[in-house]
Amino acid sequence: MLKYLETTTDDTATEVHLSKLSRRGFLGIAGAFTLAAYGGRAEAFETYKTGAAAMPRGIVDDPLVFVSIDSDGTVTLVAHRSEMGTGIRSSIPMVIADEMEADWARVTIVQAPGDEPKYGNQDTDGSRSMRHHIQAARRMGGAVRTMLARAAADGWGIDPADVTVEMHQVKAPDGRTLGFGDLAETAMAQPVPPHEEIAYKTDAEFRYMGKGEVQITDLRDITTGDAVYGADVMLEGMKTALIARPPVVGGKAKSFDASKALEVPGVVAVHELPYGGLAQKFAPLGGIAVVADNTWAATKGRDALEIEWEAGPHGDYTSAPFMEEMKATAEKPGTVARDKGDIEDAFAKAARTFGQTYTQAHMAHIPMEPPAAVAHYTGDALEIWAPVQSPYTARLDTAKALGLDPEQARLNVTLLGGGFGRKSKADYVTEAALLSREVGAPVRVQWTRDDDVRHSFYHTTSAERIEVALDDAGQVTGWRHRSVAPSIKSTFAPDDGLPMPLEQGMGMTDLPFDIANIRCESGKAMAHTRIGWFRSVSNVPHAWAVGSFVGELAHELGKDQRQMWLDLIGTPRVMDPKADGLPEDFWNYGEPMQEFPIETGRLAEVLNRAADGIGYGRDLPEGEGIGLAVHRSFVSYVGCAARVKLVDGRITVPEMHLAIDCGFAANPERIESQMQGAAVMGMTLALHSGITFENGAVVQSNFYDYDVVRSDNYPRNVVTHIVDHPFSVHATGVGEPGVPPVAPALANALFAATGTRRRSLPMGVEV
């Protein structure tokens, strides 16, 4: 069962739902010790810098906050990131346990509440949890190991350098041993050393890191049904609420009649919620809430509501004409985001030009677990249980909505049944808190699948136009990419129709091709629905366009797919931001370019690994084809090779190989799992998923008209190839980078199999 940390007024930590953490156990570990036997160079850590310090409230690496040892030797580690399938609730504690030489079988993990002043940044997004926190986790583990060694050495009257720590024990040269629990009390008296005094492990001494042998800590509970998700939290006297929300963002109820709803047995109240719209961050959409004793009564009560809706300013938003407007905009010059060389001269002198336009519909996250939250408002305090990716932001936003000081609110993080960016927006948490205040009892707000599909923060829609200038020899002398897409910033501020640098930097302005003249431009597209973070974000449309275009260009020039990619990537090099014309505000996923540069050799490597793995170039039966695509995102490199087979006029995908270079691979088992998940989501986006609007309202509603890839078409053979690196090569993103190259690889495979080219997502499965 999921465990939570509860901080009381005297700063004691206790564990809710299961065993207790004693004050002695919690305070009995702080510290660190130097141990010559672990010969890792502390100065190497000085070069391991990231953009983490720029995050709100940065990183906390205090072992007193994250680690405790009880007198029986149980090591309790705090997980401050949200678990939604990535395994991060296990991976970061695993790093701590490895560096401190703890026996994983004697480690307990508890989930931190939303409290960034204490734990540092808790936003589980941007594929940055491991790349930002592996350093801090090693520092904390090394500190605890050092503390234990010094405490034992003091007791034995020997030099700490003569002490070894191995597998939950501290050993003296004469064979004497002490367990971690034996030293918890005395270790706390040791000062916490700076990391320069810690002799970190060498790569060869890692026990868990890089091995792929540690299973996620929640695996058994998930398998047996004991895991606690948002909808599993039950409180005494709790009510359940379902909400009828405006069909159009920014709309509201012109009138409503709740009399029939109140006649449904079990319905206790009907409340109208404040209305929201665009540029209101993560505020709820508003609507009419039916509160009942159980979910069934709330559902029947909501069905019985009689509501006349007023559409508001976005009532004329219809997808088809809006897409035509975006495509027309993409044909015209836009705001320049990157300018290398002289693109106008390149096109003026071209022997010929070639171009295509690629489009993508809105997309919904549809996590397996729809949004749900439980809130209990007691007048002067608020407690929440919810599956959220940004627990502290959710706590602040909800407290503000109720007029509370943040210190009056507490947010407990449950497991997330998928997130994909949707659960970084906690509108559903605020809904539960507002209704708890109205009802005077704990309230669970439950979203249905229909609610989730029709009222989400959607992935943006886009039109991407790519054109190249070619010389007499068929060499690309100029590349122009025009992108038109509503921006995420419309969720936070009045919309000007243009993207943010971070959106442009996701696969467009960071184009890694060795071409003399490159220009990237953005056209205006106003948002008419809520746009939100989505797994891989703007990398999805940009990789779709670039990857598909490379396949088309290869055919146009009579070249092999792989060779076309390699020719464009060029010889291995590190991109020079100035020489390559990157904008001054270029966004490198929040990381400094000097430490996380764009390295084209790594891009070519994953392309070749994926292609070689699938046997690219081999003879295939008629109706089969292999497609390739490669993409850098979240400072990782991923290549995809997919084999398409036409069966009774339908696209099937019997085989896919994904190669990833994510620097040091801390937890290979989870990396493989994330690549398999990326294959599922990438195929879903490519073949099935598309949200469309008619008169401001979402047309789709559930899995019957917003389909996903199913077991009968998921590749029987998904193979992950991980490029091996030592710890000195920065760990980079894993959760999101696998998705972008899947759709273009499938499009290129479809063309190789059938000669049919698709340029719009979703492509559909019928040929």
Side-chain angles (χ1 to χ4, degrees), residues 53-389:
M55 296 189 304
R57 288 161 290 277
I59 285 178
V60 172
D61 59 3
D62 183 354
L64 280 171
V65 173
F66 286 90
V67 189
S68 66
I69 303 174
D70 214 340
S71 58
D72 65 357
T74 299
V75 172
T76 300
L77 304 177
V78 176
H80 70 307
R81 316 299 277 182
S82 298
E83 179 57 68
M84 51 185 165
T86 64
I88 201 64
R89 210 170 92 88
S90 304
S91 294
I92 291 178
M94 177 196 73
V95 174
I96 299 174
D98 196 332
E99 194 64 57
M100 70 180 284
E101 269 296 315
D103 179 354
W104 187 251
R106 302 180 70 182
V107 170
T108 297
I109 298 173
V110 296
Q111 187 69 44
D115 189 350
E116 289 188 356
K118 182 173 184 178
Y119 300 107
N121 184 276
Q122 293 180 266
D123 293 345
T124 311
D125 57 16
S127 298
R128 59 188 177 181
S129 288
M130 185 57 78
R131 78 175 189 259
H132 281 182
H133 293 278
I134 190 170
Q135 162 82 6
R138 288 198 69 186
R139 286 181 182 176
M140 289 188 286
V144 175
R145 172 169 46 82
T146 303
M147 172 64 109
L148 290 165
R150 286 179 174 172
D154 287 350
W156 289 327
I158 62 176
D159 190 331
D162 295 329
V163 173
T164 60
V165 180
E166 184 177 356
M167 202 57 169
H168 234 79
Q169 283 191 329
V170 183
K171 300 178 181 179
D174 60 7
R176 287 176 292 175
T177 64
L178 288 170
F180 281 13
D182 300 325
L183 293 164
E185 191 76 23
T186 53
M188 65 164 291
Q190 298 291 327
V192 178
H195 77 90
E196 293 87 353
E197 295 182 12
I198 302 169
Y200 295 95
K201 284 186 176 185
T202 64
D203 289 28
E205 294 167 322
F206 291 159
R207 185 178 297 277
Y208 308 125
M209 285 187 283
K211 309 301 183 185
E213 298 172 0
V214 172
Q215 291 186 328
I216 57 173
T217 188
D218 303 292
L219 183 60
R220 184 185 182 281
D221 287 348
I222 291 170
T223 304
T224 61
D226 287 336
V228 178
Y229 296 92
D232 293 324
V233 175
M234 302 296 292
L235 303 180
E236 185 176 352
M238 185 181 76
K239 307 298 180 183
T240 296
L242 269 69
I243 302 168
R245 299 173 184 85
V248 182
V249 171
K252 59 183 64 176
K254 186 183 297 183
S255 64
F256 72 94
D257 185 348
S259 57
K260 292 181 181 178
L262 290 168
E263 292 173 359
V264 173
V267 171
V268 298
V270 174
H271 292 283
E272 187 170 13
L273 293 172
Y275 293 95
L278 299 186
Q280 296 190 33
K281 197 183 176 185
F282 308 141
L285 288 170
I288 314 302
V290 176
V291 185
D293 291 329
N294 54 68
T295 305
W296 177 252
T299 301
K300 301 303 290 184
R302 186 174 70 168
D303 291 345
L305 287 171
E306 296 178 0
I307 308 172
E308 183 181 1
W309 295 107
E310 181 180 283
H314 303 291
D316 60 352
Y317 181 41
T318 298
S319 294
F322 187 78
M323 180 60 75
E324 291 305 311
E325 291 176 17
M326 288 198 300
K327 289 166 66 176
T329 300
E331 297 279 350
K332 304 170 186 175
T335 302
V336 176
R338 177 185 177 187
D339 210 5
K340 174 189 178 184
D342 189 337
I343 195 70
E344 301 297 345
D345 185 65
F347 274 88
K349 294 178 179 178
R352 62 187 174 117
T353 63
F354 176 70
Q356 295 292 355
T357 299
Y358 304 89
T359 63
Q360 174 214 280
H362 285 291
M363 297 169 179
H365 310 78
I366 53 169
M368 184 175 291
E369 173 202 30
V374 173
H376 188 196
Y377 175 77
T378 57
D380 58 355
L382 172 69
E383 186 157 15
I384 301 160
W385 293 260
V388 289
Q389 292 178 237

Side-chain angles (χ1 to χ4, degrees), residues 243 245-246 248-251 273-287 371 393-402 422 424-434 445 447 455-458 488 490-493 529-533:
I243 302 168
R245 299 173 184 85
V248 182
V249 171
L273 293 172
Y275 293 95
L278 299 186
Q280 296 190 33
K281 197 183 176 185
F282 308 141
L285 288 170
T393 298
R395 172 183 161 188
L396 294 181
D397 288 352
T398 304
K400 182 178 180 181
L402 270 65
R422 172 60 182 97
S424 63
K425 283 81 71 173
D427 50 334
Y428 52 100
V429 175
T430 302
E431 290 174 337
L434 290 170
V445 163
W447 286 47
H455 303 295
S456 190
F457 287 81
Y458 300 99
I488 289 173
S490 62
T491 294
F492 301 93
T529 188
R530 299 193 297 181
I531 308 295
W533 316 114

Side-chain angles (χ1 to χ4, degrees), residues 448-450 453-454 699-707:
T448 65
R449 179 61 63 199
D450 285 23
V453 172
R454 288 177 165 161
V699 174
Q700 293 73 27
S701 61
N702 212 309
F703 288 131
Y704 67 86
D705 57 2
Y706 190 79
D707 204 0

Side-chain angles (χ1 to χ4, degrees), residues 743-767:
L746 289 173
N748 292 334
L750 175 64
F751 183 80
T754 67
T756 300
R757 174 60 64 177
R758 300 283 170 84
R759 300 188 182 97
S760 295
L761 291 183
M763 296 189 292
V765 296
E766 304 289 341
V767 179

